[in-house]
């Protein structure tokens, strides 16, 4: 891959990149439909089975498109995919509120899943390559940690604003605001710098990029381990966040108080993203300790059955968010220039598959146990991952 020489001072170029990235992440998650779309489905008359099938369709779309879209990002402009994706979501959200029906909801989730696949891999690859061009690849974890925090801030801001907007204009108002947020996200994506020349790499198409990326993983054991670590860290807690409202309500608080405790949990996750810079020097043993501590905090907080225990859940989510950013940084540092978006998407595919598996496990366990117990049981995979990392570190020593 050929990168053009820097034409602006490194500090100026990095500021432009990070400002665009943080704005993009905030706007991408500032979707007022997030807190109420399940209510929209129910109010339209959908059954619980139909709602669950929509979530499954969403995940399946991401699984099918994750790796091909990553290979496409290595063959064409990554910036193109980053502004195209939010436009797809805007169309889907518009359909939801204009013609609310099962078919419109299903099409919207397909478009949303495609948007997620287009951005996964392309964003990380673009940011890493631009930082590398500026001589700042070592700051990748810090930058992406802050970007994740910006996205979570967008989620919390959307939760805070959705209530008043919904009270004022109902579903059409929150839908229009969500479409506007998607359009602003797409406009922000056009501001991303991209000095990579895809025409020189993409003459053989995305299939060649896919073969090249997978061949690199097969030939490098350390790279394979880095790819596998991403879903091992991100899949479980990425699925559990969908069930945190149920865990919060199980502590005995009123439904009106649930959003405030959810903000506490997501504040913990936001803090974890912001700590990525200082924690970037954590080695394998440090990452093992981080995962183990977060798993124990999750189990203890969930089993307490009290609102105060959610403080430990927030600490756990912060640890998992931090570990997710660090795992992604490890992967980016291991990848050579060729196939960066492809391999990042392969790791993303593993995360999607793991998340779907957790959904199934939660459905089975939730039928016979309390939510706090299920959360504690699903903390066990992190203890196993921490143990494996600790053993690997000891073997290296």
């Amino acid at each position: 891959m050929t990168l053009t020489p820097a034409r602006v001072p490194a500090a100026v170029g990095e500021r432009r990149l990070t400002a665009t990235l943080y704005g993009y992440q905030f706007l991408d998650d500032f979707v007022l439909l997030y807190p109420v779309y399940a209510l929209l489905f129910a109010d339209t008359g959908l059954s619980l089975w139909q709602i669950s099938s929509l979530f499954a369709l969403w995940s399946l779309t991401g699984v099918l498109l994750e790796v091909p879209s990553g290979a496409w990002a290595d063959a064409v402009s990554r910036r193109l995919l980053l502004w195209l994706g939010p436009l797809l979501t805007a169309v889907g959200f518009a359909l939801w509120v204009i013609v609310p029906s099962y078919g419109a909801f299903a099409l919207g989730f397909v478009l949303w899943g495609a948007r997620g696949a287009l951005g996964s891999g392309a964003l990380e690859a673009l940011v890493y390559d631009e930082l590398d061009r500026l001589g700042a690849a070592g700051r990748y974890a810090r930058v992406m940690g802050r970007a994740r925090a910006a996205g979570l801030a967008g989620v919390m801001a959307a939760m805070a604003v959705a209530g008043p907007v919904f009270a004022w204009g109902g579903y059409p108002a929150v839908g229009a605001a969500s479409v506007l947020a998607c359009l602003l996200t797409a406009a922000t994506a056009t501001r991303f710098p991209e000095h990579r020349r895809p025409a020189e790499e993409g003459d053989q198409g995305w299939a060649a990029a896919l073969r090249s990326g997978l061949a690199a993983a097969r030939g490098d054991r350390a790279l394979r381990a880095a790819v596998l670590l991403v879903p091992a860290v991100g899949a479980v807690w990425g699925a559990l966040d969908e069930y945190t409202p149920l865990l919060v309500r199980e502590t005995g608080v009123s439904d009106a108080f649930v959003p405030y405790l959810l903000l506490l949990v997501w504040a913990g996750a936001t803090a974890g993203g912001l700590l990525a810079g200082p924690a970037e020097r954590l080695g394998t043993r440090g990452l093992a300790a981080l995962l183990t501590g977060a798993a124990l905090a999750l189990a203890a907080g969930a089993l307490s059955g009290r609102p105060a225990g959610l403080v430990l859940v927030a600490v756990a989510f912060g640890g998992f968010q931090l570990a997710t950013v660090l795992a992604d940084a490890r992967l980016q540092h291991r990848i050579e220039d060729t196939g960066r978006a492809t391999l990042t998407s392969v790791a993303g595919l593993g995360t999607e598959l793991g998340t779907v598996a957790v959904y199934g496990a939660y459905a089975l366990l939730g039928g016979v146990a309390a939510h706090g117990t299920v959360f504690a049981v699903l903390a066990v995979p992190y203890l196993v991952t921490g143990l494996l990392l600790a053993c690997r570190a000891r073997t290296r020593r």
Side-chain angles (χ1 to χ4, degrees), residues 161 180 227 276 306 320 334 345:
V161 175
L180 177 59
V227 169
R306 300 178 179 180
F320 294 142
R334 288 286 185 186
S345 289

Side-chain angles (χ1 to χ4, degrees), residues 33-56:
L33 273 170
Y34 283 171
V36 300
Y37 65 70
L39 302 179
L40 171 62
F41 302 158
D43 290 345
T44 304
L46 269 61
S47 66
L48 181 59
W49 180 89
Q50 288 176 310
I51 295 174
S52 299
S53 69
L54 290 175
F55 292 150

Side-chain angles (χ1 to χ4, degrees), residues 22-99:
Y22 301 155
Y24 179 85
Q25 289 289 85
F26 179 89
L27 290 170
D28 194 36
D29 285 312
F30 185 67
V31 177
L32 273 61
L33 273 170
Y34 283 171
V36 300
Y37 65 70
L39 302 179
L40 171 62
F41 302 158
D43 290 345
T44 304
L46 269 61
S47 66
L48 181 59
W49 180 89
Q50 288 176 310
I51 295 174
S52 299
S53 69
L54 290 175
F55 292 150
L57 179 63
W58 187 16
S59 298
L60 181 61
T61 302
V63 168
L64 294 176
L65 297 181
E66 181 73 38
V67 175
S69 66
W72 190 25
D74 278 330
V76 301
S77 167
R78 293 161 181 167
R79 181 172 55 198
L80 168 67
L81 272 59
L82 292 178
W83 66 255
L84 177 61
L87 297 182
L88 298 179
T89 315
V91 174
F93 290 160
L95 288 173
W96 284 6
V97 295
I98 295 174
V99 285

Side-chain angles (χ1 to χ4, degrees), residues 27 30-31 86 89-90 93-94 173-187:
L27 290 170
F30 185 67
V31 177
T89 315
F93 290 160
V174 294
S178 300
V179 170
L180 177 59
C182 293
L183 296 178
L184 291 175
T185 303

Side-chain angles (χ1 to χ4, degrees), residues 256-316:
F257 200 66
V258 168
Y260 298 104
L261 291 177
L262 287 177
L263 287 176
L264 169 66
V265 174
W266 288 111
T270 303
L274 294 174
L275 289 173
E280 193 170 2
R281 295 182 181 180
L282 283 178
T284 302
R285 295 180 64 184
L287 185 57
L290 174 64
L291 288 174
T292 301
L296 294 175
L298 178 64
L303 289 173
S304 71
R306 300 178 179 180
L310 295 173
V311 174
L312 289 176
V313 176
V315 171

